[in-house]
Amino acid sequence: MVSIRSKVGDVEGNVSRLVRLSREAASEGVDMVCFPELSVTGYSMPASADHAMSDGDERLDPIIEASEDIAICFGYVDQGRHIVQAIAEGGRIVGRYSKTHLGEMESECMAHGDSLPVIRTGRANVGIQICWESHFPEITGTYALNGADMVLMPFASGLGGMRRQSSWDRCLPARAYDNTVFVACCNACGDNGLGTVFGGGACIYNVRGEAMACEVGRCSVTATLDPGQMERIRAEGYESMRDVYFLDKRRPELYGRIVTGL
């Protein structure tokens, strides 16, 4: 998980940084790297909408080419004005997610996504929640029920330092623990070129909600994810409540009535 600065509108410069850092990570044996929200176009509302890109934009080609050796998760605004986070792997785009829950300023200039796809990669099945979507537990639960092994959470938040990490530590361990998924987050860092300064930081949590790696500011954190604990909890049957898979014990027939007010 990489916290970097992305300048609004400087697509070529931003892509160059993403590619360089991805190649460095691949050379160190990393299988997957994730960059912050709108890392390609830069984040600013409404200015980011002025730099919308088509899914086949040739300026994305260097990232796609670099994905021959590593899966790369990166963000941009598409021509439908969606806040997109895509994953490239093996020299092609293997999946995209369009942000479904927009912030107040975003909703004035961006379009809502309407699906929660689990992206199947050669490394893991991945769900994506972008920035403040981390506060919606239903999103993480939906991903887990549809087979996600990990949920990547790219941010563009001004909150920084220990305040940023404290905020993550209050909610992200619950997203991981309740759903038996790995959760990993990274935040944009530094001035976006238009005067907004993002706070940086990155963290990775295991399926028990325990922090595996956390840093503040501009940083890169790496963790080796062992699926053994996840597989044991998700397996049929369990020896003690310690290893019960919470999602197996749900009663969705109740929740629908609660949500709809019936």
Side-chain angles (χ1 to χ4, degrees):
M1 306 301 293
V2 182
S3 169
I4 62 167
R5 174 181 183 249
S6 292
K7 185 178 178 181
V8 175
D10 182 19
V11 172
E12 288 80 4
N14 296 335
V15 166
S16 178
R17 281 189 291 277
L18 266 62
V19 168
R20 175 176 57 81
L21 292 167
S22 296
R23 293 195 185 283
E24 289 176 2
S27 70
E28 296 171 0
V30 173
D31 294 311
M32 182 179 294
V33 60
C34 179
F35 296 98
E37 180 178 14
L38 298 189
S39 51
V40 169
T41 48
Y43 185 99
S44 179
M45 298 296 131
S48 293
D50 296 333
H51 304 285
M53 308 173 69
S54 68
D55 290 337
D57 195 305
E58 63 182 14
R59 291 174 294 176
L60 296 176
D61 288 349
I63 297 176
I64 296 171
E65 292 167 5
S67 76
E68 288 285 0
D69 300 315
I70 186 172
I72 305 171
C73 186
F74 61 97
Y76 61 96
V77 180
D78 73 5
Q79 290 189 321
R81 292 202 169 191
H82 298 103
I83 295 175
V84 172
Q85 197 78 11
I87 297 181
E89 182 185 43
R92 65 187 182 94
I93 300 291
V94 296
R96 296 178 178 88
Y97 169 69
S98 297
K99 193 173 185 177
T100 54
H101 296 62
L102 298 178
E104 290 185 6
M105 293 183 66
E106 295 169 351
S107 64
E108 296 176 359
C109 57
M110 297 294 181
H112 288 84
D114 59 7
S115 64
L116 299 173
V118 173
I119 300 172
R120 317 283 170 173
T121 78
R123 279 76 173 181
N125 298 327
V126 180
I128 298 173
Q129 286 179 247
I130 301 177
C131 203
W132 88 303
E133 290 186 323
S134 61
H135 295 290
F136 295 89
E138 296 89 349
I139 299 177
T140 323
T142 298
Y143 284 138
L145 288 166
N146 286 312
D149 306 310
M150 68 168 68
V151 178
L152 301 178
M153 298 188 180
F155 279 67
S157 167
L159 200 63
M162 293 308 299
R163 290 182 63 206
R164 172 74 274 161
Q165 186 170 328
S166 175
S167 176
W168 282 340
D169 284 344
R170 287 195 298 274
C171 67
L172 300 195
R175 303 291 94 81
Y177 182 48
D178 288 346
N179 298 289
T180 315
V181 291
F182 294 97
V183 168
C185 54
C186 58
N187 189 23
C189 187
D191 193 314
N192 69 349
L194 298 179
T196 299
V197 178
F198 297 103
C203 281
I204 302 171
Y205 301 86
N206 68 18
V207 299
R208 290 293 191 186
E210 299 162 333
M212 304 178 70
C214 283
E215 296 286 347
V216 299
R218 187 172 300 179
C219 64
S220 172
V221 300
T222 304
T224 299
L225 308 185
D226 180 0
Q229 189 176 52
M230 177 181 66
E231 292 170 350
R232 185 177 70 250
I233 294 171
R234 291 183 177 184
E236 292 186 12
Y238 54 91
E239 296 182 1
S240 73
M241 287 292 288
R242 182 179 184 277
D243 288 334
V244 68
Y245 186 33
F246 298 129
L247 296 185
D248 277 346
K249 303 302 180 183
R250 297 167 64 254
R251 293 189 59 195
E253 73 277 7
L254 296 177
Y255 314 145
R257 296 201 299 269
I258 294 170
V259 170
T260 60
L262 299 177

